[in-house]
Amino acid sequence: MPSTMSRRGFLAAGGALAATSALSGCSALAAADDDPDTLVVHSQLGTTAPGSPTYLSALDRFREETGLKVRNLVNGDDLAQVYETSRLARKEPDVVMVNLYDKTLAWTDVGATVDVKGYLDDWRLRERVLPVALDAWTDGKGRLRAFPYFATNWPVAYNRALLDRAGVGEIPATGDQLIATARKLRKKGLAPVTVGGNDWTGQKLLAQIIQTFLTEDEARHVYATGDFGGRGARQGIDYFVELRDAGVFADKAQGLTSDSMTTQFNTQAAAMQSAMSSALAKVPEPVARHTDVGGWPLAPGAAHDRPTILRTYTLIGFWVSPNGTKKIDAVEKFLRFMYRPDTVSRFIKEAGRDMALRSDTVSSDFPLVAAAQRLGGEVGQVLLPDLFVPPAATQPLITATSTSFTRGTSAAQVRSVLEAAYRGA
């Protein structure tokens, strides 16, 4: 993956790729060929992504209320690459719905999307956004990269029924208790903690565990620079290796993905998982009925006084493209509609989504999502590294994660592969 500077040249290259219709972004390359009165929105919502039915219904209502035409382009994990391809050809969609992560970190800086701070204020939408979300979406130069929208809590889900079956009376709060719990579960043929050690879910849990002995400022330095040699980072890696080699994680975790992790937990083959809101919303009702949410157990000498969770307000935002500024009146109507309290409430009630916007609505039909929202002071919070990891290191860190979850990999080797992920970043 190119560095930020090379991406600047890449995205500034103009229409050099306009003729490359065979690329995966060909559907987006046609965006600018639409009727100039058609608003083109590029998102991951529209198929099986959580919240898709609510989003598509909201689009229909928006069309009916405004008379505006909206074209919804849909991509999955390749959305960022598809958007960049369409931007090269100057045929990019008007609005992009995607999280702040990896490639997208550089978009505003290189002109692939625009600073929306002025629009937010002119349209009087600032008061609708949680201040912590505005801070997260604002870059070091004071530019607001996108209109914040989805957020997420990321606690640990504990299946009480499986813990009871294994003779575990209480949810583990310390590393020693977690190891003891894992041993009891394994005697019953149950996986303890299931995790996608081969993708982003494992990378997030590894980062969370490493931060056991790090303050927020120390964690920010570690994940911005790739320097895992400090005392706290080394202690965190040691703690992770101790848990791994004690059998805390599911067998062959290094090959599992987010999908296999979710399946193991939802079918009650595993007793625990680190699960973001969208995964909690998918837990079947019979399983959710005897599931609690809480934090990740701590070790002695931890920098935190309560078990930890991850939380982020940068899951999905509305980015405005240079093409979008040519249809800014339509973009304004669309954003005003999506920010309306009734629209926001639908995502909370119907899809169990956490929002970066103010709302009194609770996810009553999604009990685990609601429980995670209520955790408050019961848990501590560690840093989500996404905003600080250089884009060029993002995918190498996934590979390093798989190596880290492989039994027998020493703490020194874990540190080595993590630091190697930053070379060339």
Side-chain angles (χ1 to χ4, degrees):
M1 184 178 298
S3 67
T4 299
M5 185 59 69
S6 61
R7 182 172 289 116
R8 180 185 300 278
F10 180 71
L11 290 173
L17 293 184
T20 54
S21 58
L23 290 175
S24 61
C26 59
S27 62
L29 288 175
D33 296 331
D34 281 278
D35 184 321
D37 295 325
T38 297
L39 184 68
V40 184
V41 182
H42 194 182
S43 78
Q44 293 176 317
L45 302 180
T47 54
T48 60
S52 291
T54 299
Y55 172 68
L56 294 176
S57 176
L59 283 186
D60 287 340
R61 185 174 177 183
F62 174 73
R63 294 182 184 106
E64 181 180 348
E65 289 187 10
T66 64
L68 290 172
K69 292 180 285 186
V70 181
R71 181 183 176 195
N72 187 43
L73 303 176
V74 184
N75 281 98
D77 292 340
D78 60 341
L79 184 147
Q81 184 62 53
V82 171
Y83 176 78
E84 290 190 356
T85 300
S86 65
R87 174 58 193 155
L88 279 170
R90 300 300 189 259
K91 293 180 179 291
E92 79 276 4
D94 306 309
V95 177
V96 189
M97 296 174 62
V98 71
N99 60 331
L100 184 58
Y101 173 64
D102 194 8
K103 290 173 176 290
T104 68
L105 288 166
W107 280 0
T108 303
D109 194 47
V110 302
T113 53
V114 302
D115 177 6
V116 302
K117 182 171 65 175
Y119 296 130
L120 183 82
D121 291 329
D122 290 346
W123 301 342
R124 297 181 180 179
L125 295 176
R126 179 177 290 270
E127 65 181 18
R128 295 282 298 121
V129 188
L130 296 172
V132 66
L134 286 173
D135 289 344
W137 281 94
T138 300
D139 70 12
K141 297 180 181 178
R143 298 171 298 197
L144 184 63
R145 295 174 170 109
F147 290 84
Y149 207 58
F150 285 175
T152 190
N153 284 306
W154 208 320
V156 181
Y158 296 92
N159 186 317
R160 296 191 319 275
L162 297 185
L163 295 178
D164 289 344
R165 189 192 305 175
V168 178
E170 296 182 356
I171 289 175
T174 69
D176 287 342
Q177 291 173 359
L178 181 58
I179 291 171
T181 296
R183 289 172 178 162
K184 292 180 178 180
L185 286 165
R186 286 186 174 277
K187 288 181 180 179
K188 294 294 183 179
L190 298 167
V193 178
T194 181
V195 58
N198 197 32
D199 67 10
W200 52 274
T201 53
Q203 189 254 331
K204 299 300 186 295
L205 181 57
L206 174 60
Q208 182 176 356
I209 296 171
I210 289 175
Q211 290 183 65
T212 299
F213 300 93
L214 296 174
T215 66
E216 182 175 322
D217 286 343
E218 289 170 339
R220 186 179 293 110
H221 169 78
V222 167
Y223 282 97
T225 64
D227 177 11
F228 291 84
R231 182 170 180 268
R234 286 187 284 107
Q235 285 180 301
I237 293 172
D238 288 340
Y239 181 41
F240 167 79
V241 169
E242 178 187 3
L243 296 178
R244 185 202 65 200
D245 289 349
V248 162
F249 306 112
D251 291 342
K252 300 180 180 179
Q254 70 273 18
L256 299 180
T257 65
S258 59
D259 288 340
S260 50
M261 174 191 80
T262 300
T263 298
Q264 282 192 343
F265 187 83
N266 289 355
T267 60
Q268 303 196 83
M272 297 168 277
Q273 70 166 343
S274 171
M276 64 192 305
S277 301
S278 57
L280 294 175
K282 293 180 179 180
V283 176
E285 193 276 335
V287 180
R289 199 164 49 233
H290 51 249
T291 296
D292 287 339
V293 294
W296 184 263
L298 297 178
H304 310 271
D305 57 5
R306 291 156 294 174
T308 63
I309 68 168
L310 292 163
R311 184 179 286 123
T312 180
Y313 298 89
T314 57
L315 195 61
I316 279 185
F318 296 99
W319 307 66
V320 178
S321 75
N323 275 340
T325 63
K326 303 171 187 176
K327 303 177 187 177
I328 202 62
D329 290 343
V331 173
E332 178 182 358
K333 291 177 181 177
F334 178 68
L335 265 297
R336 285 186 180 278
F337 175 85
M338 296 303 292
Y339 264 44
R340 270 178 14 191
D342 61 316
T343 305
V344 172
S345 292
R346 289 191 62 187
F347 280 102
I348 298 172
K349 292 170 64 176
E350 297 174 13
R353 302 304 312 228
D354 284 310
M355 306 299 291
L357 306 183
R358 301 180 190 274
S359 178
D360 294 327
T361 305
V362 295
S363 303
S364 55
D365 291 338
F366 300 89
L368 297 184
V369 176
Q373 293 167 345
R374 294 192 299 265
L375 280 173
E378 297 178 28
V379 293
Q381 182 176 335
V382 296
L383 189 75
L384 185 78
D386 293 6
L387 301 184
F388 309 100
V389 173
T394 299
Q395 289 307 313
L397 275 177
I398 300 297
T399 302
T401 295
S402 180
T403 301
S404 300
F405 273 97
T406 302
R407 295 282 292 270
T409 305
S410 70
Q413 289 171 320
V414 170
R415 175 188 166 191
S416 178
V417 295
L418 290 173
E419 292 183 338
Y422 282 76
R423 290 175 191 150

